[in-house]
Amino acid sequence: METAWDPYLLACPCRDVLDLVANKWTALMVGKLAQRPHRFGELRREVAGITPKVLTQNLRSLERDGLVTRKVYPTTPPSVEYALTPLGESISGYLIALNNWTAANFAEIKRAREAYDAAAAALPQPIT
């Protein structure tokens, strides 16, 4: 029996994959890894604001789902390098496009937010 994959259904098993790839940290990490393989410290520096814990969690999830490989080099201390797999490369274009769309449209989004906030502030406030 084939499963009907529909992420709009609560019980769809593919929702956790959607959660991973729709994550802002995933989009940023995959964007960097699409340029070239990175060591952990490089990713931490280049993806500003990510904590080591969140970086580790996301790398493990990406590795588990087959989007990233982890290569350990026998040095002292050990060096670890992360790279996109072919599956990771297949989604990288979409995530890079999302990053680019965000940057290209931020000014318009900022204006919309300001207009919305101004309109909401102009509404009569309840008496407390």
Side-chain angles (χ1 to χ4, degrees):
M1 182 176 108
E2 189 172 315
T3 303
W5 301 104
D6 183 352
Y8 294 97
L9 297 176
L10 179 61
C12 182
C14 67
R15 269 195 177 188
D16 64 334
V17 176
L18 183 60
D19 286 342
L20 177 64
V21 297
N23 177 309
K24 74 175 175 181
W25 297 120
T26 296
L28 297 172
M29 291 164 48
V30 167
K32 285 297 176 182
L33 290 173
Q35 297 171 355
R36 63 175 174 77
H38 282 68
R39 292 188 319 274
F40 183 90
E42 290 178 308
L43 274 174
R44 190 170 43 95
R45 285 187 298 277
E46 292 185 24
V47 180
I50 195 167
T51 65
K53 178 183 177 184
V54 170
L55 179 58
T56 298
Q57 289 171 338
N58 278 273
L59 284 169
R60 285 181 182 159
S61 293
L62 291 168
E63 184 180 8
R64 179 174 183 248
D65 287 349
L67 302 175
V68 167
T69 59
R70 180 179 184 269
K71 185 173 182 181
V72 180
Y73 294 94
T75 59
T76 305
S79 294
V80 179
E81 185 177 78
Y82 297 91
L84 293 180
T85 64
L87 184 61
E89 289 173 5
S90 73
I91 196 168
S92 67
Y94 298 103
L95 296 178
I96 291 167
L98 180 60
N99 291 341
N100 293 340
W101 181 91
T102 302
N105 290 284
F106 183 75
E108 187 174 342
I109 292 167
K110 184 178 178 199
R111 283 191 297 275
R113 287 176 178 175
E114 290 168 351
Y116 180 92
D117 292 347
L123 292 174
Q125 300 299 313
I127 298 174
T128 55

